[in-house]
Amino acid sequence: MLQPLVTVPIVGMELEAFAVLLIAALAGGAFGAALGALPSFVFTGFVVFLGEGLAVLEGELGGDVATDITGVIGFGAVTGPHIAFAGGVAATAYAGRKYPEMEPDDWDYHFGKDILYAFGTKPDILAVGAVFGALGMLITRVMGGLGFPTDNIALSVVATAFLARLAFGYPIVGRVGGSSVLDMSPFERDEKRMAADGGTETDRLTTEPWLPHQYKWAGVTAIGIVGGLLGGYIWLETGSIFMGYAISAMSLLFLNLGVEKIPVTHHITLLGAVGAVIAMPAMGSELVALLAAGAFGAISGLLGEVSQRVFYSHSGTHVDPPAMAIAEFMLVLGVLYLAGLLPNAGYLAL
């Protein structure tokens, strides 16, 4: 049998394997558009939870009972956030321009931010999702091949969201309604935007916080500590960094179904687990590791809030604050590890 001789530069995959992955990513991005960005991410949570549970079971049994469901499916071409969620986000941005009439009556923000919306089988919208799913896979693979020291799935989610803004004519930051990009008070006063031509007031809010129930600093800090502690505890008890993340992602099913005030915490539980992973070998104490997890969770929550105030609230599409927080925080930790200042870099393969 002839052996494949051609590999894809930087990515380091044989050409045929890369072609298979690319086609799967196109389908995964379209699937994310069909289901909607947030519903597809809920599936990420369920699949990762299954994969991590099987991995823990395999560790307990000492056998080979599971394939890498977390990596190949959960964070891969089927439900990987950089593919399915990114495809859904880009599809929503496209629909916000192309099909404003599809906007639900009870949606208060720009339609380009409605990541709960499932687009079903509309071919042009699925095509947008497919293209951005493939693009998300490529960005992740290339940055990983270059050894960029962060969570490159999260980085790709952010990058494709900004590319969608550029591709479909949205501003990167948008028009600021308050005294600064961090000012959410126009939302609290229910202020509405003026029309683009300076005419009459529109129905769209001047400032649109990512989560109307999760933007005040004290509340974000509190849920950050709580989620971080739980993420760290789950790692201490199971050895799984991603199980807390999966539980957080699964909890968003209720948010998608309209249950009010469900917090978004996957960036918090994930970094909480990372805090415990870093602190445990350095300090040798489960108590200290748990406290570090709480601190890391709070920091990640606050990073997400700062990111949403700068990049989400003033433009017309979804740029994911949790992905921004994960990419930012893991970049700092990756650099510190490479500088020899940390015992490990969490889950980064550096």
Side-chain angles (χ1 to χ4, degrees):
M1 180 181 293
L2 293 175
Q3 296 296 318
L5 299 176
V6 180
T7 60
V8 180
I10 301 177
V11 174
M13 296 179 68
E14 294 175 353
L15 184 58
E16 183 174 350
F18 179 76
V20 169
L21 180 60
L22 179 61
I23 293 169
L26 287 165
F31 187 62
L35 267 63
L38 185 57
S40 76
F41 183 66
V42 171
F43 274 101
T44 304
F46 280 101
V47 175
V48 171
F49 185 77
L50 173 63
E52 292 301 284
L54 289 174
V56 171
L57 178 63
E58 180 180 285
E60 291 293 324
L61 296 177
D64 184 13
V65 298
T67 58
D68 184 14
I69 291 175
T70 296
V72 175
I73 308 298
F75 292 136
V78 182
T79 63
H82 57 309
I83 294 173
F85 180 79
V89 166
T92 306
Y94 169 76
R97 286 293 194 212
K98 181 82 176 205
Y99 302 109
E101 69 277 6
M102 296 173 70
E103 179 179 341
D105 292 336
D106 59 350
W107 184 252
D108 295 329
Y109 289 8
H110 192 287
F111 184 40
K113 289 179 173 175
D114 190 359
I115 61 170
L116 289 70
Y117 199 101
F119 291 101
T121 60
K122 200 162 182 59
D124 58 331
I125 297 180
L126 298 188
V128 170
V131 169
F132 276 84
L135 186 59
M137 180 276 290
L138 288 170
I139 292 172
T140 302
R141 288 280 174 170
V142 168
M143 297 307 287
L146 293 173
F148 194 70
T150 190
D151 183 321
N152 289 307
I153 287 179
L155 180 65
S156 177
V157 169
V158 177
T160 53
F162 280 124
L163 288 172
R165 281 190 176 174
L166 291 173
F168 304 124
Y170 295 89
I172 291 296
V173 173
R175 186 171 58 193
V176 176
S179 60
S180 73
V181 290
L182 300 180
D183 182 12
M184 297 290 104
S185 64
F187 168 76
E188 295 167 350
R189 295 190 295 268
D190 199 34
E191 292 181 4
K192 302 297 177 65
R193 290 177 182 260
M194 302 301 291
D197 60 2
T200 58
E201 189 178 81
T202 67
D203 291 333
R204 186 180 164 196
L205 292 165
T206 300
T207 303
E208 301 169 334
W210 164 52
L211 295 169
H213 58 280
Q214 187 180 325
Y215 74 91
K216 294 184 178 180
W217 298 113
V220 170
T221 303
I223 196 64
I225 293 170
V226 170
L229 289 171
L230 292 176
Y233 179 76
I234 290 169
W235 175 76
L236 286 170
E237 294 298 318
T238 68
S240 170
I241 293 177
F242 296 111
M243 189 171 285
Y245 172 99
I247 293 171
S248 292
M250 289 190 295
S251 75
L252 298 183
L253 173 63
F254 299 101
L255 184 65
N256 207 116
L257 293 174
V259 179
E260 294 184 1
K261 299 184 180 179
I262 295 292
V264 178
T265 58
H266 54 283
H267 56 310
I268 292 169
T269 48
L270 177 61
L271 267 298
V274 170
V277 168
I278 290 174
M280 190 62 190
M283 306 303 295
S285 164
E286 289 192 354
L287 176 59
V288 173
L290 193 61
L291 294 176
F296 272 50
I299 293 169
S300 187
L302 291 169
L303 281 173
E305 180 55 32
V306 171
S307 298
Q308 81 85 10
R309 291 183 182 224
V310 176
F311 293 113
Y312 179 95
S313 293
H314 314 290
S315 192
T317 70
H318 183 89
V319 174
D320 197 54
M324 285 189 275
I326 293 168
E328 293 158 359
F329 205 163
M330 292 307 298
L331 177 61
V332 171
L333 297 177
V335 170
L336 290 176
Y337 169 72
L338 292 175
L341 299 176
L342 293 177
N344 61 68
Y347 57 88
L348 299 182
L350 299 176

